[in-house]
Amino acid sequence: MKGALLINLGSPDSPTPKDVKPYLDEFLMDKYVIDVPYLLRALLVRGIILRKRPEESAHAYAKIWWEEGSPLIVLSERMHKKVQPLSNIPVSLAMRYGSMTIEKGLQELSDQGVTEVLLFPLYPQYAMASTLTILVLAEEIRKNKFPHMRFSDVPAFYNKPDYIKNVADSIQKHLRGFEYDQLVFSYHGIPERHVRKTDKTKSHKKFVTNEMCCEVGTPEAEFCYRTHCYETTRLVVEQLGIPKDKYCVTFQSRLAGDKWLEPYTDVEIDNMPSKGIKKIAVVTPAFVTDCLETLEEIAMRAKEDFEANGGEEFLAIPCLNDEDEWCQTVSNWINDWAK
């Protein structure tokens, strides 16, 4: 019997330092997130970062927390509730980090008699800190707890026509009546070395701002997060007919000390008013669900900084969340696999 497991990032159980600290520990101690030797990672995370970050992050989570709970969890659950009745096989929901574990999701499917599972990481663009860590952990759990199961997985869907249409339609809907100077495509940042590590051909070129680092369809592009981001943008703006001077690609949420993908979202947005760009809209296509990075970092902090620097109008475009068209797309992909 076949089943599918939708897998998102996760969230602390509450916006308090007590719950945020173990969540951040699990997240930052993941060797695919901070990819340095264990002892160095432990020193960095547990000796430095976790001394101050839990309180700071808890404050940020508290600003976006809903009465029902974490927005990412609530929105993922809403999506799951819409996808399940549209799907021909059992569908469960899990998170890579936090209490809604992948093991619990697999157990739920196993209890229904599922032996063949479609792993569905809810990340359009492939990255070792998102897609890869999910697939590796799921396989470890399978070997230890569910050896009777077989896995397939949904490849990065950054360029799939249905997904592109969903994103383009959502942008068009939210931009209706909004006259913008610039549409910012803000993707989650990763260290440049992550791109090179996932390139099995070891042939990555030098990164040039606003240019793809490899050609779509080539072996080196298969797991290239940066190329996936630029290709998502190209396809969306092509569908919407947006001129080249009306949009840009940026990367957000970096840690200090490493060379991360550029240009940086905060730097670019802060500088826009001085260039005469007074009205902007920001879309975040690396996320299919609104979360801390979209609701607090973009819709709140980036907006405040933009206006403080002379910006006049700032529109944060929501993620796909539980939009009916997106839920239909997800269920269609699941049903196509299940045939």
Side-chain angles (χ1 to χ4, degrees):
M1 182 177 175
K2 292 184 175 181
L5 184 62
L6 305 173
I7 310 169
N8 214 327
L9 175 71
S11 171
D13 291 332
S14 76
T16 63
K18 175 179 69 72
D19 284 333
V20 169
K21 185 172 182 177
Y23 174 79
L24 287 179
D25 182 77
E26 181 185 11
F27 173 57
L28 296 175
M29 284 300 294
D30 183 346
K31 65 181 179 181
Y32 295 104
V33 174
I34 297 183
D35 54 323
V36 297
Y38 176 82
L39 290 179
L40 179 57
R41 187 164 67 252
L43 176 63
L44 177 64
V45 174
R46 292 168 178 167
I48 301 174
I49 296 177
L50 290 185
R51 291 191 175 189
K52 291 186 177 180
R53 182 66 68 85
E55 189 169 338
E56 295 171 356
S57 293
H59 177 69
Y61 274 110
K63 289 163 64 178
I64 66 160
W65 210 260
W66 293 351
E67 187 175 336
E68 308 100 300
S70 160
L72 182 142
I73 301 296
V74 173
L75 289 165
S76 296
E77 289 175 336
R78 290 177 186 173
M79 173 201 175
H80 173 232
K81 287 178 181 178
K82 287 186 177 182
V83 169
Q84 178 60 93
L86 297 171
S87 304
N88 299 327
I89 58 176
V91 180
S92 290
L93 173 67
M95 300 289 153
R96 172 59 181 87
Y97 311 103
S99 56
M100 289 180 63
T101 64
I102 292 175
E103 182 176 338
K104 289 179 181 177
L106 291 173
Q107 185 64 61
E108 184 178 308
L109 291 174
S110 182
D111 290 344
Q112 296 177 72
V114 171
T115 56
E116 189 173 352
V117 179
L118 177 66
L119 300 175
F120 199 136
L122 291 168
Y123 298 100
Q125 301 83 19
Y126 182 95
M128 61 183 282
S130 54
T131 316
L132 181 59
T133 186
I134 283 174
L135 300 180
V136 169
L137 178 60
E139 178 59 18
E140 290 176 0
I141 294 170
R142 187 199 66 78
K143 287 180 179 178
N144 294 327
K145 302 285 186 176
F146 308 98
H148 61 288
M149 282 184 166
R150 289 185 299 155
F151 285 167
S152 300
D153 60 83
V154 174
F157 49 89
Y158 67 98
N159 61 350
K160 293 195 75 169
D162 290 350
Y163 163 72
I164 295 299
K165 185 177 187 307
N166 291 155
V167 174
D169 287 350
S170 179
I171 291 173
Q172 188 172 50
K173 177 177 69 176
H174 288 97
L175 282 180
R176 195 167 291 129
F178 184 77
E179 295 294 328
Y180 63 93
D181 297 323
Q182 192 85 178
L183 175 60
V184 180
F185 286 78
S186 180
Y187 294 87
H188 200 287
I190 61 172
E192 287 186 356
R193 68 174 183 276
H194 281 202
V195 176
R196 294 190 172 92
K197 279 189 172 184
T198 55
D199 176 16
K200 296 178 181 178
T201 69
K202 304 302 178 187
S203 59
H204 246 79
K205 302 170 186 174
K206 187 176 181 180
F207 299 129
V208 180
T209 302
N210 296 327
E211 291 183 16
M212 290 190 190
C213 45
C214 38
E215 186 178 345
V216 176
T218 60
E220 60 266 29
E222 183 178 2
F223 301 111
C224 177
Y225 176 78
R226 188 177 184 277
T227 295
H228 292 184
C229 294
Y230 276 94
E231 181 65 359
T232 295
T233 304
R234 186 189 72 80
L235 292 169
V236 169
V237 299
E238 183 180 84
Q239 186 154 326
L240 292 174
I242 299 175
K244 203 165 187 177
D245 63 342
K246 293 279 282 185
Y247 73 91
C248 63
V249 174
T250 64
F251 298 91
Q252 64 185 86
S253 311
R254 65 192 181 277
L255 291 175
D258 286 318
K259 179 69 172 176
W260 284 55
L261 295 180
E262 295 179 305
Y264 300 138
T265 298
D266 56 348
V267 173
E268 293 299 305
I269 287 179
D270 288 355
N271 289 335
M272 283 180 178
S274 65
K275 299 176 182 178
I277 301 172
K278 302 286 189 174
K279 301 177 182 180
I280 68 171
V282 185
V283 62
T284 50
F287 307 91
V288 298
T289 312
D290 275 309
C291 54
L292 187 70
E293 287 81 0
T294 66
L295 298 173
E296 194 273 338
E297 185 176 352
I298 297 298
M300 292 182 181
R301 252 191 300 147
K303 180 178 186 293
E304 290 171 4
D305 292 344
F306 178 70
E307 292 174 347
N309 283 291
E312 296 173 359
E313 294 186 45
F314 184 107
L315 174 66
I317 297 175
C319 295
L320 294 176
N321 295 323
D322 64 333
E323 289 188 11
D324 290 344
E325 296 80 5
W326 167 235
C327 294
Q328 185 65 64
T329 292
V330 171
S331 64
N332 288 346
W333 293 345
I334 291 172
N335 291 337
D336 288 343
W337 173 80
K339 289 178 181 176

